[in-house]
Amino acid sequence: MKTNVAVFFGGRSVEHEISVISALQAINAMDSEKYHIVPIYITKQGHWLTGEALLDINNYDDLKSLESKATEVYMRPVYGDYNLYEARNSGGLFSKGPKVVSELHVALPVLHGTNGEDGIFEGVLETIGIPFAGCNTLSSANGMDKITMKMILKEEGIPVVDYVWFTDKQWISDRDAMVKRVEEKLGYPVIVKPANLGSSVGIGTAADRAELIAKVDEAEKFSRRIIVEHMVKRLKEINCSVLGDADDHQSSVCEEPIKTGEFLSYTDKYMGGSKTGAGMQASDKRIPALIPEETSDRIRKMAADTFRVLSCHGVSRVDVMIDEADGNIYVNEINTIPGSLSFYLWEATGISFGQLMDRLVQLALQRKRENDRKTFTYEQNIFAMGGGTKGGTKGAKGGFFGAKGAKGRGH
């Protein structure tokens, strides 16, 4: 019996198109003898679609035509219901309910950026209870938000560059104070980023106050929280992927992306410096990175530590920065659903794309088994025990935990 794997991609994100590329790469790598793939494309308006037409990347040139060839679907937010339902099924007079398009066994989110990689979609999957590959809601949210991530890493002794952060409302209401904070703590040059976007969207550098104001004005169009970081002048960027779960994982070989400017742009990452996008694996890079073995080992451990302290799961990519002026290494960010799922790094490590996909499915099922052994609720009904039921909720004698029959029970 084949395992029905739902691959979710697209989404309400500025990284929508990159998600489509990554997902189709992943689907093509999966063993059709083991898996029945159910593609679920989330439009930029948030509609879920499925159908064979979604498997041909050429169809995405005309989204209106593509949507007409697909079937709109949904999942119910009911724990244990893994069915995919047809959204526009009229049913008829004697219908017993919505039409089931497929029963899903595992979900594989390949959603980049907001509303997909930031914990929002993972929360939906956790509500339903379906096994899914990748980080859970908490680790996705922490990994996506550059501010929260740096706070956690710094607390755990993992080096990050100095930074200042503020909200868009703070920037609008007290711009001079925010500029002063940046200048006093960081000086120039700095790099300005939306706190919760990836793929270098909305990022810019600033060498003086005028540029800082312009770059923050641009970044706040994309995010409610802004982070301004010290900019490493003599920068070498190195990436490393990590596979597994927080307690049992391995690091890939390192890569050195080739940038065309001061930092890796969207075009550098996904289009190889051109406009012929073919996913993250098409970008210019050196694999393995031309760095000393000792430095490579240090980065691989730093990537693994980042994965561990953020309680990550599945496959992630950790991007680090080497300051060639002094040799210091800093974690820049983690991508909990990396472009192309970092398959090219695992191929260079000795794990094929197909094996990577097998491992992600296995990890999803393993986590589900482990979670099912945990206690999330008690069989006792506190209301049946008399806890706070007399008189309803208005000052019931003894309250919920002081009621007769609940004596000695902890809170």
Side-chain angles (χ1 to χ4, degrees), residues 28 74 89 116 119-120 201 214 279 284 303 314 318 324 331 349 356 371 385 402:
N28 289 332
Y74 68 94
N89 176 39
I120 291 177
V201 175
D284 295 331
V318 178
E324 295 189 290
V331 171
T349 308
L356 173 63
N371 285 345
M385 296 165 62

Side-chain angles (χ1 to χ4, degrees), residues 301-356:
K301 183 180 185 305
M302 190 179 291
D305 288 343
T306 299
F307 190 89
R308 175 181 57 80
V309 302
L310 294 174
S311 298
C312 293
H313 191 277
V315 64
S316 295
R317 193 189 74 241
V318 178
D319 302 347
V320 308
M321 302 182 293
I322 301 176
D323 187 341
E324 295 189 290
D326 55 22
N328 287 331
I329 304 175
Y330 306 95
V331 171
N332 184 32
E333 64 180 9
I334 186 169
N335 296 271
T336 54
I337 306 179
S340 298
L341 300 181
S342 291
F343 79 85
Y344 48 91
L345 284 173
W346 290 106
E347 287 186 338
T349 308
I351 297 176
S352 71
F353 201 171
Q355 290 171 328
L356 173 63

Side-chain angles (χ1 to χ4, degrees), residues 241-260:
S241 185
V242 185
L243 173 65
D245 61 43
D247 297 308
D248 183 13
H249 48 267
Q250 65 184 110
S251 301
S252 73
V253 300
C254 295
E255 67 164 331
E256 180 183 354
I258 307 301
K259 60 183 183 294
T260 57

Side-chain angles (χ1 to χ4, degrees), residues 92 205 225 239 248 347 359:
T205 61
R225 304 208 304 168
N239 301 337
D248 183 13
E347 287 186 338
R359 181 72 176 127

